[in-house]
Amino acid sequence: MPASYREIDYRIRPGKYVERMMMIEAFRRLRFASVESYQYVGLGSVYFSDFMLVHRALGIHKLVSIERAVHDKNRFLGNIPFSSVEMLWGDTATELAKVDLSLRSIVWLDYDGRLSASMLNDITSVASRATSGSVLAVTVQCKFDRVAGEHGEDASVQTLVDALGADRIPYNLKTEDIEGQGTGRLFRKVIVEEVDRALSARNAILHKTHQFQARQVFNFRYEDGVPMMTVAVVIFDAGQRGLLDLCAFEALDFVRNGEEEFKIAIPKLTPREIKLLEAQMPNDDPSKIVLGPIPPKDAAQYTKLYRFFPNIAFVES
């Protein structure tokens, strides 16, 4: 299977772009330490898009990228955007353990595949070591896959049980539970429970006042050709709950603490339509927006996303 960076230009995926910008806005609110003092750990791909944004927008200098495409090493080395990017070559299963998580970190495990047991192991690796005030974000594909068994029977649920482990899947889960948005809801639950499980093990030897907890801050859904989701939590020492409260993540309308997702739906607008709408932003009363020929649904979506909307231009010669 070819590496995903050979099939997808990550710079021009509009849903991903909006997601990145929203994440940056939230990270600016971190109050456990100056955000510049954090380290960023990600899966940079050959484009390093998130690394460039994190460094430029947040001033984070310590950047660690894990890359398994060792066969294409020269191409990655040729595209490293800053001298402070440290490359770790290999799978996350081996390389994450080499990352010093005693440093306050933003770790974005930005996978392009479906949730798997190895990804859950990565989540455990981070959650069991991350210091207070760290952020763990996980992105996976969440498309419902109907699977037929050897005799034509529906094996969709059994496939998930085989992939993730019976102890992580509700015993009474039915295929209809994972159709449509159901796969995303299940994956969110499994990811959050994996974090909680790792923290429970960690807390066994800690005094109650300094046990680690996690609070979900993101539950994004978007489609750039395939349904994707991102769940993120802040991991914190119970004694630092006051610092978490100071972050005031709830003031951001895209922050989600539970099952409800924030859907990033990119409206299909022309440059002229965008200019018409943008000139009327911000606007708390949609009924007063002059739409012209713009479908109301698209205008409503733009109103929610306009501050993060991508400006992508194609130049013809």
Side-chain angles (χ1 to χ4, degrees), residues 40 42-45 48 51 63-67 85-88:
Y40 178 74
L43 316 178
S45 184
F48 293 97
F51 284 73
L63 308 162
V64 180
S65 181
I66 300 174
E67 181 50 59
V85 176
E86 176 188 359
M87 295 296 299
L88 295 179

Side-chain angles (χ1 to χ4, degrees), residues 156-171:
S156 307
V157 171
Q158 187 57 48
T159 300
L160 283 174
V161 171
D162 294 342
L164 302 179
D167 58 333
R168 291 170 173 129
I169 303 296
Y171 73 93

Side-chain angles (χ1 to χ4, degrees), residues 171-185:
Y171 73 93
N172 57 351
L173 187 73
K174 300 179 178 61
T175 298
E176 51 263 39
D177 296 329
I178 54 175
E179 291 176 337
Q181 300 297 317
T183 297
R185 287 194 290 270

Side-chain angles (χ1 to χ4, degrees), residues 124-194:
T124 296
S125 173
V126 176
S128 61
R129 295 183 294 127
T131 197
S132 182
S134 294
V135 179
L136 169 60
V138 181
T139 298
V140 294
Q141 188 188 123
C142 57
K143 177 178 175 291
F144 167 63
D145 270 353
R146 188 177 299 283
V147 180
E150 186 178 351
H151 304 290
E153 76 280 11
D154 187 297
S156 307
V157 171
Q158 187 57 48
T159 300
L160 283 174
V161 171
D162 294 342
L164 302 179
D167 58 333
R168 291 170 173 129
I169 303 296
Y171 73 93
N172 57 351
L173 187 73
K174 300 179 178 61
T175 298
E176 51 263 39
D177 296 329
I178 54 175
E179 291 176 337
Q181 300 297 317
T183 297
R185 287 194 290 270
L186 174 67
F187 284 177
R188 186 206 72 85
K189 182 173 182 293
V190 171
I191 290 169
V192 170
E193 288 182 351
E194 198 68 18

